[in-house]
Amino acid sequence: MDSLVRYAENGIITHQMEALSHAEGISPEIIAERIAEGSIVIMQRDDRMTGIGAGLSTKINVNLGTSTGKVSVEDEIEKVRIAEMFGADTISDLSMGGDINAIRKAVFENSTLPITTVPVYPAAVENGLKEMTDDDIFATLRRHADEGVSSIVVHCVNRAMLESFRKNKRILGMVSKGGSITSAFMLINECENPFVERFDEVLSLCKKRDIVLSLGNTARSGCIHDCRDRMQLEELRQNIALAHRAHENGVQVIIEGCGGHIRSDRISKYVKQYKKQSPFPLFVAGPLPTDIAAGYDHIAGCVGGSMASTAGADYLCYITPAEHLGLPNPEAVKEGLIAFKIAAHIGDTVKYGKDAKDKKIAHIRATLDPKGQIVHALDPARAQAFSDEEDECTMCGEFCAIRIMRQY
Amino acid sequence: MDSLVRYAENGIITHQMEALSHAEGISPEIIAERIAEGSIVIMQRDDRMTGIGAGLSTKINVNLGTSTGKVSVEDEIEKVRIAEMFGADTISDLSMGGDINAIRKAVFENSTLPITTVPVYPAAVENGLKEMTDDDIFATLRRHADEGVSSIVVHCVNRAMLESFRKNKRILGMVSKGGSITSAFMLINECENPFVERFDEVLSLCKKRDIVLSLGNTARSGCIHDCRDRMQLEELRQNIALAHRAHENGVQVIIEGCGGHIRSDRISKYVKQYKKQSPFPLFVAGPLPTDIAAGYDHIAGCVGGSMASTAGADYLCYITPAEHLGLPNPEAVKEGLIAFKIAAHIGDTVKYGKDAKDKKIAHIRATLDPKGQIVHALDPARAQAFSDEEDECTMCGEFCAIRIMRQY
């Protein structure tokens, strides 16, 4: 089997492209063209195709997984269930605590969604950060590929960036976990980045199973005061160059960027700048336009995610209300996911004028049909709870503007 | 006693201006200048001064009150307590159900915040929509003024606008409750708008006690598909003209506009257009950039409110998660208020570069101090609940990026 990029380059429409065409209402020829130019990728899992990129609806990733501070397999399975039920497009299993291989297996068994992993996480846990070798990292990478992950994340921080980090004036230096583990590996072993050094091996692993390569965002800022700096620009430059190399080798690739903490007036600008420089789908974490919202970072993240998707971001990594405080519980996963469903949709209403769902709800409201609103709600049980179990909306009672205007 | 506008026009600095200067860190002379030009108003209640407008932090209004469908005085008192505790700037008592005069009294007794009412609501309830006369409306207006409200809302819809409404192609026609009651009055009595006809009386009532006149937004759209139309433009034109008339008569005035349901790419444009046409503070309800978020409209509203305040809106009316579904319970009021605290702050980080709170949290995070984060959270109890009662953040456990980078 050849890779989707190669088929697309040869003008061959595959069943994956057909399925995506059907789901998104775009012709398979256009999808093939965009895969060939790198602006669309398809994350595959069995019969499930999640397309990300130009002209496709904005997608949402749900991070889940244990940490060394908190392990509950039941919770993780419940998070998977919530991700499926409330409409996540992909899952990332970031487990680092407990029996991580068994947890990953449980995530696979309980989900139908494409799964992403960051192989350097389990490699560090299983081998120890100090003892881990680059062969250990690549063994984990290979294992995940064999297990059928749809996408893997690698952080391509280089030594020049680390030198910049050391000298920098950020309040919060490096806040990427994968980036910091990779950086620690480079500092402990006084070596260059193993993913960059052995990039051809990464590519051949990805190409073999058509795994989407996600180039991580080590240099994202950890507070809105930490602005775009030399590390961010250098990382973006390098990631775009690596993405071109991946794509030329027939590997589907996306770039993480414009995420983290960014003041709201800069979000749209950064996304648009990225889009001018790169054809590859943009994966954005958040972003958070303020640092004051601990406990409600899903709401701040919805604001940033709406701005990013409106400006052209293709794929959003959700943020839960537990962000900065602890590992999210299943309820926090649900709150985060729904907030980002709203953000993605707000983006799509502008990017593509996709307001059919809004129009449907507006017509339901025009008929004063509370049941219809609940059926079509993002979370029907919650919408029902606010409806007081009355037949009539209690918000305005008999002084309903719509009803009054109908009458007179 | 003369009105603040008159004092300001004569260059006299009053204690209200001094208090506002102290609260906002702007010189009292600048505040006086801006009150004189109409770009700042002060809502007063005893010793409490809430300044709204140019150069001042974005303020948030909490709507509360009963409806004919749901009456609980205890709930309303609890909502007042929540508004005070979580940092609302003003309260609007919109009660229409139960003993509304007693409820308003309870709202006064349990709060220190400036209170706004929409006198046409209780006038309609007490007299009946069909039986109510313009003298009844003005009697209610006078009563509220005598009781010490800080601001009143009147809807100045005119007959030409009603004619446009009849012909219009909106999915949801008129969704303003005060606007629809006023319109029904005009249609039933085949008359012009009593507030416009007797505008001098409105002004003299407001001026006597320096009540801020709020010109309501009858023509706001009820779904994102209903775009800016002739009614909205006509209302804006008329409201700006009436605001000038009010201001010339020594009355403090704000204009409600750019609220309701507006696609996200239009919000900033509308606010900026308003700011070019009018010096008066802009009061925005929401806006909601999507119609699909029933049950989570506080989150969609936070997105719209962030965009509006970033673009220059001065005063946001919050939206609760119960919007479109029912009368909000106290918990919904809390969720709505906190979402709009976030929106107002996001606006202020851009409008004024006010990021001191963000910077403080960033420094706390840099020291890995979970307790500090909780103390400074918008809702410490909720932040605490996500912290698993551990001394250490469980989000990343021992693989904390900040800690790893410190070590290596």
Side-chain angles (χ1 to χ4, degrees):
Chain A
M1 188 196 88
D2 215 335
S3 74
L4 281 182
V5 171
R6 294 289 181 242
Y7 283 121
E9 284 168 346
N10 290 303
I12 298 166
I13 308 292
T14 67
H15 71 93
Q16 295 96 330
M17 302 174 203
E18 292 282 4
L20 188 61
S21 161
H22 187 74
E24 303 265 355
I26 293 181
S27 81
E29 289 74 21
I30 290 178
I31 288 170
E33 264 172 42
R34 291 181 183 168
I35 291 173
E37 76 187 16
S39 65
I40 282 182
V41 300
I42 303 180
M43 290 193 187
Q44 309 167 54
R45 171 131 186 248
D46 303 325
D47 292 336
R48 185 130 187 179
M49 306 295 150
T50 298
I52 298 167
L56 308 181
S57 62
T58 307
K59 301 302 186 297
I60 304 152
N61 175 64
V62 158
N63 283 343
L64 48 80
T66 58
S67 73
T68 59
K70 198 176 173 188
V71 180
S72 159
V73 182
E74 294 68 34
D75 269 10
E76 298 312 320
I77 292 173
E78 178 62 11
K79 291 178 196 175
V80 170
R81 203 186 60 79
I82 286 169
E84 298 267 345
M85 176 183 282
F86 291 97
D89 298 294
T90 62
I91 287 172
S92 293
D93 175 17
L94 307 180
S95 291
M96 296 190 82
D99 183 348
I100 49 182
N101 293 313
I103 294 165
R104 197 170 57 256
K105 190 157 175 271
V107 171
F108 267 95
E109 283 171 0
N110 287 280
S111 71
T112 63
L113 293 168
I115 292 170
T116 296
T117 59
V118 189
V120 81
Y121 285 14
V125 172
E126 292 185 322
N127 302 287
L129 191 52
K130 283 185 195 155
E131 295 75 19
M132 168 171 78
T133 66
D134 56 342
D135 284 334
D136 292 331
I137 298 172
F138 274 79
T140 309
L141 219 153
R142 210 167 295 116
R143 175 174 183 168
H144 288 202
D146 290 343
E147 286 177 6
V149 297
S150 307
S151 172
I152 55 156
V153 184
V154 299
H155 294 79
C156 294
V157 50
N158 61 36
R159 292 204 63 101
M161 283 168 63
L162 287 185
E163 203 44 48
S164 295
F165 259 109
R166 201 191 301 274
K167 290 185 198 151
N168 89 89
K169 301 255 189 303
R170 289 185 174 191
I171 296 177
L172 284 151
M174 190 187 287
V175 294
S176 155
K177 191 159 39 166
S180 73
I181 293 170
T182 307
S183 300
F185 176 85
M186 291 160 67
L187 293 169
I188 291 165
N189 298 290
E190 296 178 356
C191 64
E192 254 302 347
N193 186 311
F195 299 115
V196 179
E197 293 285 295
R198 297 169 67 172
F199 197 61
D200 287 332
E201 242 177 289
V202 174
L203 296 183
S204 110
L205 264 165
C206 288
K207 194 179 169 206
K208 193 172 152 201
R209 302 185 187 267
D210 227 340
I211 291 169
V212 173
L213 178 63
S214 179
L215 298 171
N217 189 193
T218 298
R220 69 172 184 265
S221 50
C223 62
I224 62 168
H225 184 263
D226 291 346
C227 297
R228 175 157 280 197
D229 53 18
R230 184 180 290 197
M231 289 88 79
Q232 285 194 19
L233 293 171
E234 168 60 13
E235 182 174 41
L236 196 59
R237 189 201 59 72
Q238 168 161 296
N239 276 349
I240 293 173
L242 290 172
H244 278 291
R245 210 171 122 194
H247 185 68
E248 283 155 17
N249 280 277
V251 172
Q252 303 193 88
V253 62
I254 63 175
I255 294 182
E256 278 186 43
C258 306
H261 298 234
I262 305 175
R263 215 175 71 180
S264 68
D265 55 331
R266 297 178 179 139
I267 294 170
S268 171
K269 202 160 44 184
Y270 289 176
V271 170
K272 286 177 179 165
Q273 277 172 1
Y274 170 82
K275 285 286 172 183
K276 275 190 199 155
Q277 294 173 64
S278 165
F280 307 108
L282 179 63
F283 183 32
V284 173
L288 292 167
T290 176
D291 306 321
I292 68 158
Y296 294 89
D297 270 328
H298 63 310
I299 296 183
C302 177
V303 175
S306 297
M307 291 171 170
S309 61
T310 295
D314 303 287
Y315 183 33
L316 304 177
C317 187
Y318 88 151
I319 290 176
T320 80
E323 181 78 16
H324 301 112
L325 295 167
L327 198 74
N329 57 27
E331 181 61 23
V333 167
K334 180 183 132 181
E335 289 187 53
L337 172 53
I338 289 175
F340 276 74
K341 290 288 284 184
I342 294 170
H345 178 74
I346 288 173
D348 289 342
T349 61
V350 176
K351 278 198 287 194
Y352 311 123
K354 277 195 182 175
D355 64 355
K357 282 185 197 166
D358 300 85
K359 218 181 266 185
K360 181 185 258 178
I361 300 286
H363 280 292
I364 288 170
R365 286 181 182 154
T367 63
L368 301 175
D369 168 17
K371 297 269 178 292
Q373 273 202 86
I374 290 162
V375 170
H376 291 92
L378 293 164
D379 177 1
R382 183 168 152 108
Q384 178 68 64
F386 283 122
S387 302
D388 297 315
E389 300 173 27
E390 307 266 342
D391 279 341
E392 190 179 88
C393 172
T394 57
M395 187 168 178
C396 307
E398 61 188 75
F399 288 95
C400 166
I402 296 170
R403 193 175 296 174
I404 290 172
M405 289 319 292
R406 289 255 163 84
Q407 196 174 343
Y408 296 102
Chain B
M1 189 197 84
D2 215 336
S3 75
L4 281 180
V5 171
R6 294 290 181 242
Y7 282 121
E9 284 169 345
N10 290 300
I12 297 166
I13 307 291
T14 67
H15 71 93
Q16 295 95 332
M17 301 175 203
E18 291 282 4
L20 188 61
S21 160
H22 187 74
E24 302 265 356
I26 293 181
S27 82
E29 290 74 21
I30 289 178
I31 288 170
E33 263 172 44
R34 291 180 183 169
I35 291 174
E37 76 185 18
S39 66
I40 282 182
V41 300
I42 303 181
M43 290 193 187
Q44 309 168 54
R45 171 130 185 251
D46 304 325
D47 292 336
R48 185 128 188 184
M49 306 294 149
T50 298
I52 298 166
L56 308 180
S57 63
T58 307
K59 300 303 185 297
I60 303 151
N61 176 65
V62 159
N63 283 343
L64 48 80
T66 57
S67 73
T68 59
K70 197 175 172 191
V71 179
S72 158
V73 182
E74 295 67 35
D75 269 10
E76 297 312 319
I77 292 173
E78 179 62 12
K79 292 178 196 174
V80 170
R81 203 186 62 78
I82 286 168
E84 299 266 344
M85 175 183 282
F86 291 97
D89 298 294
T90 62
I91 287 172
S92 294
D93 175 18
L94 307 181
S95 290
M96 296 191 84
D99 184 347
I100 51 183
N101 292 313
I103 293 164
R104 195 168 59 256
K105 191 156 176 274
V107 171
F108 267 94
E109 284 171 358
N110 287 281
S111 71
T112 63
L113 292 169
I115 293 170
T116 296
T117 59
V118 189
V120 82
Y121 285 13
V125 173
E126 293 185 322
N127 301 287
L129 192 51
K130 284 187 195 155
E131 296 75 19
M132 169 171 77
T133 66
D134 57 343
D135 284 335
D136 292 331
I137 298 173
F138 274 79
T140 310
L141 218 154
R142 210 167 295 116
R143 176 175 183 168
H144 288 203
D146 289 343
E147 286 176 6
V149 297
S150 307
S151 173
I152 55 157
V153 183
V154 300
H155 294 80
C156 294
V157 50
N158 62 37
R159 292 204 63 103
M161 283 167 62
L162 288 185
E163 202 45 47
S164 295
F165 259 109
R166 201 192 302 272
K167 290 185 200 151
N168 90 87
K169 302 255 188 302
R170 289 183 175 194
I171 297 177
L172 284 151
M174 192 187 287
V175 293
S176 156
K177 190 159 41 166
S180 72
I181 294 171
T182 307
S183 301
F185 176 85
M186 292 161 66
L187 294 169
I188 292 165
N189 298 290
E190 296 177 358
C191 64
E192 254 303 345
N193 185 310
F195 300 116
V196 179
E197 293 284 294
R198 296 169 67 172
F199 197 61
D200 287 332
E201 244 177 288
V202 174
L203 296 183
S204 112
L205 264 165
C206 288
K207 194 178 170 208
K208 193 171 154 202
R209 303 184 187 266
D210 226 340
I211 292 168
V212 173
L213 178 63
S214 180
L215 298 172
N217 190 189
T218 298
R220 69 171 183 265
S221 50
C223 62
I224 63 169
H225 184 263
D226 290 346
C227 297
R228 176 158 278 194
D229 52 19
R230 185 179 287 196
M231 290 88 82
Q232 285 194 20
L233 293 171
E234 168 60 14
E235 181 174 43
L236 196 59
R237 190 201 59 72
Q238 167 160 297
N239 276 349
I240 293 173
L242 290 171
H244 278 290
R245 207 169 125 197
H247 186 68
E248 282 156 18
N249 279 276
V251 172
Q252 302 192 89
V253 61
I254 63 176
I255 294 181
E256 278 185 43
C258 306
H261 298 234
I262 305 175
R263 215 175 70 180
S264 68
D265 54 330
R266 296 177 178 141
I267 294 170
S268 172
K269 201 159 47 183
Y270 288 176
V271 170
K272 286 176 179 166
Q273 277 173 358
Y274 170 82
K275 285 286 174 185
K276 276 191 200 153
Q277 294 174 64
S278 164
F280 307 107
L282 178 63
F283 183 31
V284 173
L288 292 168
T290 175
D291 307 321
I292 67 158
Y296 295 88
D297 270 329
H298 63 310
I299 297 182
C302 177
V303 175
S306 297
M307 290 171 170
S309 60
T310 295
D314 303 289
Y315 183 30
L316 304 178
C317 188
Y318 87 150
I319 289 175
T320 80
E323 181 78 17
H324 301 112
L325 296 167
L327 198 74
N329 59 25
E331 182 61 23
V333 167
K334 181 182 131 182
E335 289 186 53
L337 173 51
I338 289 175
F340 275 75
K341 291 288 283 184
I342 294 169
H345 178 74
I346 288 172
D348 289 343
T349 62
V350 176
K351 277 198 287 194
Y352 311 124
K354 277 195 183 174
D355 64 355
K357 283 184 198 166
D358 301 84
K359 218 182 263 185
K360 181 186 260 179
I361 300 287
H363 280 292
I364 288 170
R365 286 181 182 155
T367 63
L368 300 175
D369 168 18
K371 296 268 178 294
Q373 273 201 87
I374 290 163
V375 170
H376 290 92
L378 292 164
D379 178 0
R382 181 167 153 108
Q384 178 67 64
F386 284 122
S387 302
D388 297 315
E389 300 174 26
E390 306 268 342
D391 279 343
E392 194 179 86
C393 173
T394 57
M395 186 169 178
C396 307
E398 60 188 73
F399 288 94
C400 165
I402 297 170
R403 194 175 293 173
I404 290 172
M405 291 318 291
R406 290 256 162 83
Q407 197 174 342
Y408 296 102

